[in-house]
Amino acid sequence: MESKVGRRYDTEECRLVEKYVRTTKLHRKVLEQELSSTGVYRSQHQLLMFVADHPEVSQKELARLHGVSTATIAVSLKKLEQGGYIERKVDVRDNRYNQICITQKGMAAAEKSVTIFEKLERSMFQGFSREDFERMGELLDRIYRNLEDYESGWERNFRGQEGEDA
């Protein structure tokens, strides 16, 4: 089938991308359903579990480790703090930094989150062999590298075009 703009939907690439997108959407939906009972938003579970395992981590370090801006982390931490899941304490070594400390309520939510994530992961990969895991990991790594290469090329091309406009 071809679209009015010439897009072919019957290619192997198109079918695989569709399966990948469908899978990630369903994973997100199931995860959100399971996690809704904890009172913590989906995106905050990873943070909460990390803070539970790394007491007194700084906001700056959380941002670096999760590959997001400190402003993005600040918004999530503010919600977690308002919900009583974490507390911020001024770092005694450097008062410019806050240490993020988990509360009892936060620890209970993090423990429940771990249980939910592990249960879902076991269900997702039921029947997979060691070889399946290895092959899937290799393929996903290749896709990721290809996307990184694509992004790098796009950035180079974009910067080159900006220079031409000057």
Side-chain angles (χ1 to χ4, degrees):
M1 169 196 277
E2 210 168 298
S3 74
K4 292 180 181 177
V5 294
R7 172 80 167 127
R8 290 193 50 199
Y9 295 100
D10 61 346
T11 64
E12 289 177 327
E13 294 89 348
C14 190
R15 285 191 297 273
L16 284 176
V17 168
E18 172 57 30
K19 285 181 182 184
Y20 175 78
V21 169
R22 239 185 24 239
T23 301
T24 57
K25 283 181 181 179
L26 183 56
H27 177 263
R28 177 175 285 183
K29 178 183 175 186
V30 170
L31 195 55
E32 285 175 350
Q33 287 171 345
E34 292 289 317
L35 294 172
S36 65
S37 65
T38 65
V40 179
Y41 293 102
R42 180 185 50 84
S43 61
Q44 297 166 346
H45 285 274
Q46 298 287 353
L47 278 179
L48 198 55
M49 290 185 296
F50 188 85
V51 171
D53 286 337
H54 301 86
E56 301 178 357
V57 65
S58 73
Q59 182 173 318
K60 186 176 182 178
E61 178 137 359
L62 273 174
R64 184 184 64 76
L65 292 169
H66 286 86
V68 296
S69 70
T70 52
T72 299
I73 290 291
V75 170
S76 292
L77 291 178
K78 183 175 183 179
K79 289 177 184 175
L80 288 169
E81 186 175 27
Q82 288 171 341
Y85 298 98
I86 63 159
E87 295 174 343
R88 296 184 216 212
K89 296 179 181 173
V90 175
D91 189 320
V92 292
R93 294 176 304 268
D94 189 341
N95 65 5
R96 294 174 297 171
Y97 295 103
N98 284 323
Q99 293 176 328
I100 312 304
C101 304
I102 195 158
T103 63
Q104 279 187 294
K105 181 179 180 181
M107 186 59 81
E111 288 169 353
K112 189 171 184 179
S113 296
V114 167
T115 301
I116 290 168
F117 275 85
E118 288 176 351
K119 177 183 164 191
L120 181 56
E121 289 164 1
R122 279 192 308 275
S123 179
M124 283 176 62
F125 296 108
Q126 184 178 346
F128 276 54
S129 68
R130 175 64 26 220
E131 293 79 21
D132 292 337
F133 276 101
E134 289 173 11
R135 183 70 177 139
M136 187 170 184
E138 290 167 1
L139 293 172
L140 288 171
D141 287 343
R142 274 178 55 194
I143 291 169
Y144 190 86
R145 283 191 306 271
N146 289 343
L147 285 170
E148 280 183 322
D149 291 347
Y150 182 88
E151 179 186 38
S152 295
W154 178 84
E155 288 176 352
R156 276 193 305 275
N157 289 338
F158 182 74
R159 282 193 214 107
Q161 289 172 358
E162 278 185 336
E164 292 170 12
D165 293 341

